[in-house]
Amino acid sequence: MHFDEILHVIGGFGKFQKILYVWICLPQVFLAFHMLVSIFTGAVPPHLCRTKQPPDGSPASFNSSLMISPSIWPEVTCPVPFNQSAAVASGDGGPSMSCQGGWEYSTETFQSTTVSEWNLVCDMASLNYMSSSIYMFGLLVGAALFGCLADKYGRRNIILISLAMQAIFGVGAAYAPNFHIYTSLRFMVGMSVSGVIMNAFVLGTEWTGSKQRMLAGIITDYSFGVGYILLAGVAYLIRDWRTLQLAISAPGFLFIFYIWVLPKSARWLMANNRKEEAWELIQKAALMNGKPFTLDPEIEGKTEVKKKHSVFDLVQTPRMRQQSLIVFYLWFVNILVYYGLSLNISDFGMNIYLTQMIFGLVEMPARTITLFTLNRSRKFSQLAFLLVGGTACLLTIFVPSNLSVIKTVLAMIGKFGVTASLSIIYVYSAEVFPTVIRQNGIGIGSMFARFGGVLAPMMYLLKGISPQAPMILCGLLPLLGAGLTMLLPETANKPLPDTIEDIEGSRLSLKNTGDNFGLSTLEEISQLSQNPNMGTVW
């Protein structure tokens, strides 16, 4: 008896699964905190440079070229004139040097940030963006490492280890003595976040019936959105970066009770020939769902011999290569723009806490609307939301800086489009790749997505070239993705391709009549839950 058939008998989404999703969704809130907290902990407050202490021992004063009035903080000006009087006389800035007297930071919005503590401004500003990229790189490393370990040691064990790491290294980051140790600890937190996100998604999927899997996946996405919104309130109440980092990390130690309540994956136990343990869990789930039944514990899944395929099959044939490269680009650009907008909300000129909350609220309808558009067309849905996101981002560059509300609304629309597009790419990818290399395709796509996450914070270094450069990229790259989507096939309500020959247009005789196109889209997607590289890319 196949495990999906067992789930159908004991209940694919009964009381057991609902309680399991409570345990899965709780950490998602804190994952959102860790993913986005650098918006506040790494914020750049308005700042001024003090002049060097005068030789006569009189009190240090602000550089008069930067100080407008005691109550107004001017735009950040990095170089300090070496000879101020000569600079004024000559009418130019003259030679410049770094701030010798130290920086003074406004505490109107933030009591302290990593920027104000370690002076990550001007010639040190790139380190602030680098810190966010290193955190994102931790996500990439964690996905590769914990994916393999989860296949070997089980989803539950890796979730517990990742939650422990998240709490320990997160709290450690709050007490980091210097920037380099702080960045290293954040890298470890990023690894742990990947371990939780990926394996919690897989654990829930492996216990859920095929008909409810897409809905169950959306539930976890909504939980992330709740964390997105709540972070604005938490950060508003806690203005010191160390206290904020501690506040989002210390509650992680409470998840120690997961040792007693989080179940193992019966599907994984069966696949690893631990059928007695699997049978005990299945009976417990059946009893909790009110559907006890008896079955021979010698449970065996269906096995079939398949020709071995590798990642190289994704690019060996013309049409498969074209589709693969386009899908990989779509993964990359969705995450690049998603985090490019999410991590730099201070650039839009409105209150940072209000903007964070609005951007979080946008997540909810963006994910919901895809449930109604996907059934009509995968291709048009992907194209339309990329157009919306890219166009809105591009329009922001034409809005004057004093019209911050209009700029924020356009950025919000851009975020809406990209979030919806990101939700669609999961389903679309599963249908574009043929069965024989579907898991490989999704795994490589997820890797490209994480590369986008690594580059997203670094994208804002382009402001040194032009202040509009980041938003130009956030606009043009999705528009290019929309154009490339035109080259992809429409997959809605069509049989899933099983082989590369199906993609290339060859006519094959079906060896197993009735089975080749028997799986529904959601059932195919559920198979991806066993892929160590698969999971939400948040």
Side-chain angles (χ1 to χ4, degrees):
M1 191 174 189
H2 195 276
F3 192 79
D4 281 335
E5 296 174 298
I6 296 173
L7 284 177
H8 180 72
V9 174
I10 69 173
F13 202 66
K15 182 180 178 181
F16 177 86
Q17 286 86 357
K18 290 173 183 176
I19 293 176
L20 172 61
Y21 270 89
V22 171
W23 306 139
I24 289 173
C25 289
L26 281 177
Q28 298 287 333
V29 176
F30 292 91
L31 298 183
F33 288 173
H34 286 291
M35 289 292 291
L36 300 165
V37 72
S38 63
I39 294 171
F40 304 100
T41 58
V44 183
H47 50 282
L48 298 169
C49 178
R50 288 182 180 271
T51 59
K52 293 181 68 175
Q53 182 74 23
D56 60 2
S58 59
S61 62
F62 287 114
N63 183 306
S64 61
S65 65
L66 300 179
M67 189 65 171
I68 296 178
S69 75
S71 60
I72 299 176
W73 292 84
E75 292 294 324
V76 175
T77 304
C78 291
V80 180
F82 185 80
N83 186 331
Q84 191 171 341
S85 59
V88 174
S90 64
D92 58 44
S96 62
M97 61 181 180
S98 60
C99 183
Q100 300 296 307
W103 292 97
E104 183 78 10
Y105 295 90
S106 168
T107 57
E108 182 180 352
T109 303
F110 304 100
Q111 183 179 338
S112 72
T113 68
T114 57
V115 172
S116 63
E117 180 160 338
W118 292 310
N119 292 319
L120 305 179
V121 294
C122 295
D123 55 339
M124 301 286 286
S126 60
L127 293 179
N128 193 27
Y129 295 112
M130 186 69 71
S131 176
S132 295
S133 288
I134 290 174
Y135 171 82
M136 291 291 184
F137 187 66
L139 291 173
L140 176 60
V141 174
L145 176 63
F146 290 123
C148 297
L149 292 178
D151 270 351
K152 186 174 183 180
Y153 298 107
R155 320 316 187 190
R156 176 182 178 272
N157 291 335
I158 299 304
I159 291 173
L160 294 176
I161 291 172
S162 298
L163 286 172
M165 285 179 57
Q166 189 177 119
I168 293 169
F169 291 112
V171 169
Y175 294 98
N178 58 60
F179 174 75
H180 300 292
I181 292 178
Y182 167 77
T183 301
S184 300
L185 292 170
R186 283 276 293 166
F187 171 84
M188 297 301 295
V189 171
M191 288 181 59
S192 70
V193 166
S194 256
V196 177
I197 286 179
M198 182 170 51
N199 290 294
F201 175 83
V202 170
L203 179 63
T205 303
E206 290 181 344
W207 268 112
T208 307
S210 59
K211 292 183 179 180
Q212 296 87 9
R213 278 179 187 135
M214 180 175 287
L215 177 62
I218 290 175
I219 291 173
T220 59
D221 284 344
Y222 278 135
S223 301
F224 185 92
V226 169
Y228 201 130
I229 298 168
L230 289 179
L231 178 60
V234 175
Y236 180 80
L237 296 173
I238 304 174
R239 304 297 181 97
D240 173 69
W241 82 265
R242 290 187 182 273
T243 308
L244 178 58
Q245 179 66 35
L246 186 63
I248 67 169
S249 302
F253 288 108
L254 298 176
F255 288 114
I256 191 173
F257 78 93
Y258 273 32
I259 295 174
W260 297 281
V261 301
L262 192 67
K264 296 179 181 178
S265 167
R267 190 188 294 266
W268 179 85
L269 290 170
M270 289 171 57
N272 286 269
N273 205 31
R274 294 165 60 178
K275 296 177 182 177
E276 290 185 5
E277 290 182 70
W279 180 239
E280 290 178 5
L281 277 172
I282 290 169
Q283 287 183 315
K284 178 182 177 180
L287 188 62
M288 191 175 294
N289 288 344
K291 296 184 178 182
F293 78 111
T294 58
L295 185 69
D296 185 351
E298 191 64 26
I299 308 169
E300 296 186 6
K302 298 178 181 179
T303 59
E304 51 185 46
V305 179
K306 295 181 178 179
K307 175 187 175 183
K308 290 186 178 180
H309 291 270
S310 71
V311 294
F312 297 106
D313 291 311
L314 292 166
V315 293
Q316 281 186 343
T317 55
R319 189 173 296 178
M320 189 72 257
R321 177 167 56 249
Q322 174 181 289
Q323 294 182 186
S324 297
L325 293 177
I326 291 174
V327 168
F328 296 158
Y329 175 79
L330 294 180
W331 277 95
F332 171 81
V333 75
N334 273 295
I335 290 296
L336 178 71
V337 177
Y338 179 88
Y339 282 111
L341 294 174
S342 298
L343 296 177
N344 293 278
I345 60 175
S346 60
D347 283 359
F348 302 121
M350 278 185 61
N351 180 280
I352 190 172
Y353 303 102
L354 178 61
T355 307
Q356 170 74 10
M357 186 181 70
I358 292 173
F359 272 39
L361 289 171
V362 164
E363 300 260 322
M364 305 305 185
R367 300 188 192 288
T368 304
I369 195 172
T370 59
L371 295 175
F372 301 97
T373 63
L374 274 175
N375 288 334
R376 296 180 178 273
S377 171
R378 313 292 201 246
K379 182 175 180 177
F380 178 77
S381 297
Q382 184 81 71
L383 185 152
F385 286 118
L386 283 172
L387 279 176
V388 169
T391 302
C393 289
L394 207 55
L395 288 175
T396 62
I397 70 176
F398 301 106
V399 179
S401 58
N402 61 322
L403 299 177
S404 58
V405 173
I406 296 177
K407 183 171 286 192
T408 302
V409 168
L410 286 173
M412 180 184 68
I413 295 172
K415 178 76 164 16
F416 174 90
V418 171
T419 301
S421 173
L422 183 59
S423 298
I424 292 168
I425 193 61
Y426 282 106
V427 177
Y428 204 6
S429 297
E431 297 174 338
V432 166
F433 294 117
T435 302
V436 293
I437 52 173
R438 184 166 291 125
Q439 292 186 4
N440 284 324
I442 295 294
I444 299 299
S446 181
M447 286 183 61
F448 272 84
R450 298 190 189 281
F451 281 123
V454 171
L455 293 177
M458 303 300 294
M459 181 171 59
Y460 278 76
L461 291 176
L462 296 174
K463 285 193 292 186
I465 300 173
S466 168
Q468 307 292 352
M471 292 307 292
I472 291 175
L473 280 181
C474 286
L476 292 181
L477 294 181
L479 293 180
L480 175 59
L484 292 174
T485 301
M486 294 293 294
L487 302 176
L488 292 176
E490 176 60 71
T491 60
N493 304 314
K494 293 187 178 180
L496 291 172
D498 282 322
T499 66
I500 295 173
E501 286 78 7
D502 292 340
I503 299 295
E504 297 299 327
S506 299
R507 302 177 67 88
L508 300 177
S509 59
L510 302 180
K511 294 182 179 180
N512 300 313
T513 57
D515 278 328
N516 276 31
F517 298 99
L519 291 176
S520 69
T521 298
L522 297 185
E523 290 173 320
E524 289 287 353
I525 294 172
S526 73
Q527 294 176 7
L528 301 172
S529 65
Q530 302 176 33
N531 178 16
N533 292 320
M534 181 51 180
T536 54
V537 299
W538 311 120

